[in-house]
Amino acid sequence: MSSNTHISTNASVGSTTPTSPTLGTSGLITVLIGGALPMVDFFIVNVALPTIDHDLHAGPALLEMVVGGYGVAYAVLLVLGGRLGDMVGRRRLFLWGTAAFGVTSVACGLAPDAWTLVVARIAQGAASALMLPQVLATIQATTRGSRRTRALSLYSATAGAASAVGQVLGGVLVSADIAGTGWRSIFLVNAPLSAVALVMAFRLIPETRSEHPTRVDGAGTVLLSVALVSLLLPLTEGRSTGWPVWSWVLLAVFPFAAAAFWAVERRLEAAGRTPLVPPSLLRVPAVRSGLALLVPFSLGWGGYMFVLAVVFQEGLGLGPLAAGLALVPMCVTFFVGSLAGPRLGARFGRYAVTAGALVQGAGLLALTATFFWGWDGLGPWGTTAGLAVQGLGQGMLLPPTQRAVLGGVPVAQAGVGGGVMVTTQQSFMALGVATLGSLFLSLAPSMGMRDAVVTTFGVQLVAVAATVVLSLRLPRAMH
């Protein structure tokens, strides 16, 4: 047993006694690695898509499934992954999820054709959904006070920066062409990382679970899955497949599946049982307002990163390495903003989040102006100022918002609370790729790449404005 872990077999998760499970520094680093891997892999393929297309002759529809299949599977199973962790043990699910993530990553890296890659990516998304909810739940259950504030701040900094880091890393690996592996190395690199995380997790992460575990809500799980798939799948694949009949049928199913899911969850909670997503959780003001803010933020973020990857490579003619390195300024300032965000939140309350949203908007405006007036001859560092300002604002915004959401979740429901929050983020990131990405790709042939990206970012500014407004509904104090 590591000196970083202190466990009492009779201590409940919510106990405040000295024998409660405690997450040491090494254990925190371990769960943060686990939190970063799924986010990195959501974005790491963006800069590799042209190479994958050339190698596997995938075509637009299958390329979108390589991105969207992962995102949909990930979003659909996150809440279930959180509930299973509450039931059978968060450390145990983290180990299972990490092992599965490593195996499915190797399957992606060895895929002989495009369809095999799509299937492996869906499996990889499912593995991520087992792993990620345990990160937030473990932090909630094993830290308190200032340590929890710091841990959540580091989680937000890691998860947020991981999206940009994913595209940077993807560009570096594709360009390096290690042992002739080309794009395959972006997946194969996960095998040693997962192995290290497994060894560290086995030694350093304490086991926690809900004090009163309940059975899985089968009906709720099925209905939530149907609702998310019926929305995300057609919006992700509809454009590239010519909007076939099945896409419209699924979109028509969505409102009925969503309404049925909510009705079942309300009935279960009223009967004294534990639903997959307890409606009472969403009646907590901090949870409700925080999740509402994450909707436009995640929608814009997912689409924005996808569009940038296409613009850098196909619009500006940058190689994978240059396209990835162009995002380094955003990575740095996002991390800096994430570390400063909780302190600003403690001092200025919700207005610190509002300031972050405004700074993000200023960065997006600067980047849009750079593309519009400086398109010709724009190199990888021409976007530095806009990206740096935008990353700073996002870093200031995200940690206090996530902390507001999680602060309203009872410790016994840490897994499901974290799952609901990450599901919201992941679902709307996938939706952002589908909507903003499709808007950009449909405009580019007729308008040209420059005007298409300017128009798309103009639409994203509406999402930023919504974020500013919704930040004013957060709790006044952000302790």
Side-chain angles (χ1 to χ4, degrees), residues 93-110:
L93 258 292
F94 183 86
L95 292 171
W96 289 354
T98 303
F101 183 83
V103 170
T104 54
S105 294
V106 171
C108 290
L110 299 179

Side-chain angles (χ1 to χ4, degrees), residues 145-234:
S146 60
R147 283 185 58 81
R148 180 179 293 176
T149 300
R150 176 173 171 269
L152 290 176
S153 175
L154 288 171
Y155 167 81
S156 298
T158 303
S163 53
V165 168
Q167 295 193 182
V168 174
L169 181 61
V172 171
L173 290 174
V174 171
S175 298
D177 193 21
I178 302 169
T181 55
W183 60 267
R184 298 177 185 276
S185 61
I186 68 174
F187 299 116
L188 296 175
V189 72
N190 289 326
L193 292 175
S194 298
V196 171
L198 269 174
V199 173
M200 293 176 67
F202 187 78
R203 298 185 57 199
L204 302 170
I205 298 178
E207 182 64 281
T208 63
R209 57 174 55 85
S210 176
E211 189 176 358
H212 304 290
T214 57
R215 290 184 300 177
V216 170
D217 170 14
T221 299
V222 171
L223 287 170
L224 179 61
S225 300
V226 171
L228 289 174
V229 169
S230 63
L231 176 65
L232 295 177
L233 185 60

Side-chain angles (χ1 to χ4, degrees), residues 45 75 92 97 111 131 134 145 176 178 192 207 219-220 222 251 253 290 311 322 332 350 371 394 443 464 477:
V45 299
R92 179 179 298 177
M131 178 170 55
Q134 319 317 325
I178 302 169
E207 182 64 281
V222 171
L251 285 173
V253 167
V311 168
V332 174
R350 64 189 178 193
F371 282 136
Q394 290 166 332
L443 292 177
V464 174

Side-chain angles (χ1 to χ4, degrees), residues 346-362:
R347 183 172 181 181
F348 300 107
R350 64 189 178 193
Y351 298 113
V353 177
T354 305
L358 290 171
V359 171
Q360 177 196 7

Side-chain angles (χ1 to χ4, degrees), residues 195-336:
V196 171
L198 269 174
V199 173
M200 293 176 67
F202 187 78
R203 298 185 57 199
L204 302 170
I205 298 178
E207 182 64 281
T208 63
R209 57 174 55 85
S210 176
E211 189 176 358
H212 304 290
T214 57
R215 290 184 300 177
V216 170
D217 170 14
T221 299
V222 171
L223 287 170
L224 179 61
S225 300
V226 171
L228 289 174
V229 169
S230 63
L231 176 65
L232 295 177
L233 185 60
L235 290 179
T236 301
E237 299 302 318
R239 185 199 63 82
S240 60
T241 54
W243 295 105
V245 173
W246 64 261
S247 64
W248 296 107
V249 171
L250 283 179
L251 285 173
V253 167
F254 167 70
F256 297 100
F261 167 72
W262 192 245
V264 166
E265 301 302 274
R266 290 182 63 183
R267 186 171 69 247
L268 284 177
E269 190 165 50
R273 297 169 61 186
T274 304
L276 184 69
V277 179
S280 59
L281 197 64
L282 303 183
R283 290 195 291 268
V284 178
V287 174
R288 186 174 61 249
S289 60
L291 290 178
L293 187 148
L294 289 174
V295 167
F297 176 84
S298 303
L299 186 73
W301 180 242
Y304 172 80
M305 295 300 291
F306 175 80
V307 170
L308 271 185
V310 177
V311 168
F312 281 151
Q313 292 191 79
E314 297 186 13
L316 300 180
L318 303 180
L321 179 60
L325 292 178
L327 295 172
V328 168
M330 175 184 283
C331 298
V332 174
T333 56
F334 195 112
F335 196 81
V336 171

